[in-house]
Amino acid sequence: MTRIPSRLHYGWVVAGVTFVVIAVTAGVRAAPGILIVPLEDEFHWSRATISFAISVNLLFYGLVGPFAAAVMDRFGVRRTMSLALAATAAAVALSPTMREPWQLVLLWGAVVGLSCGVIGSYLAAYVAARWFVLRQGLVVGVLTGANAAGQLAFLPSLAGLATHSGWRTMCLVVAGFVVALVPLLILLMRDRPQDLGLAPYGDTRGPQPVPAPRGNPATVAFRALGDGARSKDFWLIAGGFFACGASTNGLIGTHMIPACVDHGLTEVVGAGLLAAVGVFSFIGGTLSGWLSDRWDNRYLLFWYYGLRGLSLMYLPFAFDMSFVGLSIFCVFYGLDWIASVPPTVRLLRGVVGTERTGIMVAWITVIHQIGGATAAFVAGVLRISYGSYLQAFMLSGLLCIVAAFMVLFIGAGRKRREPEGLAAPAQ
């Protein structure tokens, strides 16, 4: 029987700091959905133009992940995350000076996308693999849920602030929150448990020597991708994650508030609905992490993607069913929002191995964000062409249904018992 440490392991402190940082950067990434209508009204930029900037943000957020993971291995987690937060704060603080669309693309598309991408979706798996052997699925679920927590904490307040004080004030407040995180990160974050003379939580062998990182970070990242791309299962997992990105931050995260405005609801109400999605997604993500340690992850993904697809097909009709219909959507869709991440990580670990889990999660996050960027832009174009989001919601729902059946063909990652005391460093 594996012995569980009785004292508080420092890995839980690192997980707590990571949770706070992910939550705040999630609030930053949710802000563009609030900016769409104010920027349309003030500058008369088209929704397609603003959606393009958000698409660039989503794409860069994903693309930087594999290289950020390699840079963290080479130069350290604390240093890399601190620089990323500083860049994020600078770009958001400069936003009130925007006057042209290219400035929106540069600041919110490129700089915020890249800097937030350094603290991206891969970070939950990266930290969990490096600091935990026991409770790894649970930690991935909770840290993934930090995105929902950030959405819950920031969206309603930011929407209210933008409505009553203006979008420029909102940007300055967001920048202030990000700056405040940097001292906390420097004080409490550590790169590895070995730095403190510890083993990962649940590793009974004691601290193990850490090999020095070798090679250029870009070379390391591409080599890992080349090895993983030889597996059919990798592409099945990545294809499901493409649908995940298209159906979450690309569509709902970007266009839910404008869709609410189209149906006569205020931006604050739309942000409140997204916050409700965040509440239930935190519950769903944490529960999914627990389930992923115990059930066949292929079947979990089948149900998650399938139910998400049905929820998206229901959404256009929910707008005509008053607030009750939208509340039903928020509950069912919210439980599913991030639930797909823990089983995806577990399946990927079975394909590429423990040592490359962090960097390969970063690579499938690239594909996730390509899906999100595609959906963000296409939904804006469809809204201009047809005057509603009906077609976008239906297409995204169908894509999720296809993904639900596709993941059943994944041959690796079936539930198996991990060797007792096996450490899990991320590479």
Side-chain angles (χ1 to χ4, degrees):
M1 180 176 179
T2 303
R3 181 177 63 86
I4 299 177
S6 57
R7 295 176 58 190
L8 178 68
H9 191 277
Y10 201 81
W12 294 110
V13 176
V14 170
V17 174
T18 305
F19 183 96
V20 173
V21 172
I22 292 175
V24 172
T25 54
V28 176
R29 294 194 301 108
I34 300 172
L35 292 174
I36 290 177
V37 174
L39 293 179
E40 278 185 327
D41 292 342
E42 179 170 337
F43 297 115
H44 305 292
W45 297 341
S46 72
R47 191 159 300 186
T49 297
I50 302 170
S51 297
F52 174 73
I54 298 173
S55 297
V56 172
N57 174 291
L58 294 171
L59 184 60
F60 281 13
Y61 175 85
L63 284 175
V64 75
F67 309 102
V71 168
M72 284 185 179
D73 282 341
R74 186 66 180 271
F75 300 106
V77 176
R78 179 168 55 178
R79 184 184 304 173
T80 306
M81 290 176 66
S82 298
L83 291 174
L85 287 176
T88 300
V92 176
L94 287 172
S95 298
T97 65
M98 293 189 303
R99 295 292 183 272
E100 300 292 335
W102 68 265
Q103 296 167 337
L104 176 68
V105 175
L106 174 63
L107 293 176
W108 282 94
V111 180
V112 173
L114 288 170
S115 56
C116 285
V118 172
I119 309 169
S121 300
Y122 75 93
L123 194 61
Y126 187 96
V127 169
R130 180 169 283 191
W131 284 88
F132 293 87
V133 171
L134 291 176
R135 309 289 185 264
Q136 197 174 105
L138 177 64
V139 173
V140 171
V142 172
L143 292 183
T144 304
N147 288 285
Q151 182 174 290
L152 168 64
F154 284 95
L155 262 178
S157 300
L158 293 180
L161 192 61
T163 299
H164 296 102
S165 301
W167 65 270
R168 291 179 174 84
T169 301
M170 184 204 77
C171 289
L172 294 176
V173 170
V174 170
F177 271 103
V178 176
V179 169
L181 274 184
V182 177
L184 175 70
L185 187 66
I186 294 173
L187 179 65
L188 297 177
M189 194 68 183
R190 295 295 182 271
D191 293 338
R192 294 178 181 271
Q194 290 83 355
D195 296 344
L196 301 174
L198 300 173
Y201 178 80
D203 186 351
T204 59
R205 300 177 302 171
Q208 300 295 312
V210 179
R214 297 179 179 177
N216 181 280
T219 303
V220 172
F222 281 117
R223 184 183 300 123
L225 175 63
D227 292 341
R230 297 189 181 100
S231 169
K232 178 191 72 174
D233 290 334
F234 170 80
W235 291 110
L236 290 172
I237 294 169
F241 228 39
F242 177 92
C244 180
S247 57
T248 53
N249 53 5
L251 180 61
I252 298 299
T254 301
H255 291 284
M256 182 64 173
I257 293 176
C260 288
V261 173
D262 286 349
H263 287 81
L265 302 174
T266 66
E267 294 163 296
V268 175
V269 171
L273 290 171
L274 278 180
V277 169
V279 173
F280 289 102
S281 66
F282 181 77
I283 296 171
T286 304
L287 178 61
S288 179
W290 183 84
L291 290 172
S292 71
D293 288 330
R294 293 163 174 80
W295 295 87
D296 190 319
N297 290 279
R298 297 171 304 154
Y299 297 132
L300 291 178
L301 284 181
F302 170 79
W303 285 107
Y304 295 161
Y305 287 141
L307 292 174
R308 185 187 300 173
L310 295 177
S311 296
L312 288 169
M313 292 179 179
Y314 160 78
L315 178 57
F317 306 100
F319 284 113
D320 299 324
M321 297 169 62
S322 74
F323 196 77
V324 175
L326 288 173
S327 299
I328 294 172
F329 167 79
C330 289
V331 172
F332 284 96
Y333 179 83
L335 289 171
D336 209 338
W337 174 279
I338 57 173
S340 58
V341 175
T344 297
V345 171
R346 297 282 293 188
L347 287 168
L348 188 63
R349 182 181 178 185
V351 173
V352 303
T354 299
E355 292 186 354
R356 283 188 168 174
T357 297
I359 200 166
M360 293 309 291
V361 168
W363 273 118
I364 66 167
T365 300
V366 173
I367 297 172
H368 180 280
Q369 295 306 112
I370 290 173
T374 302
F377 180 68
V378 170
V381 172
L382 290 174
R383 164 62 177 76
I384 292 174
S385 300
Y386 296 99
S388 78
Y389 285 105
L390 172 65
Q391 293 77 12
F393 292 140
M394 289 297 179
L395 287 173
S396 185
L398 287 173
L399 183 63
C400 288
I401 299 296
V402 171
F405 287 97
M406 185 171 64
V407 296
L408 294 177
F409 293 94
I410 298 170
R414 293 184 178 88
K415 184 181 183 300
R416 61 186 184 280
R417 185 178 179 84
E418 295 289 346
E420 187 172 327
L422 176 66
Q427 298 295 327

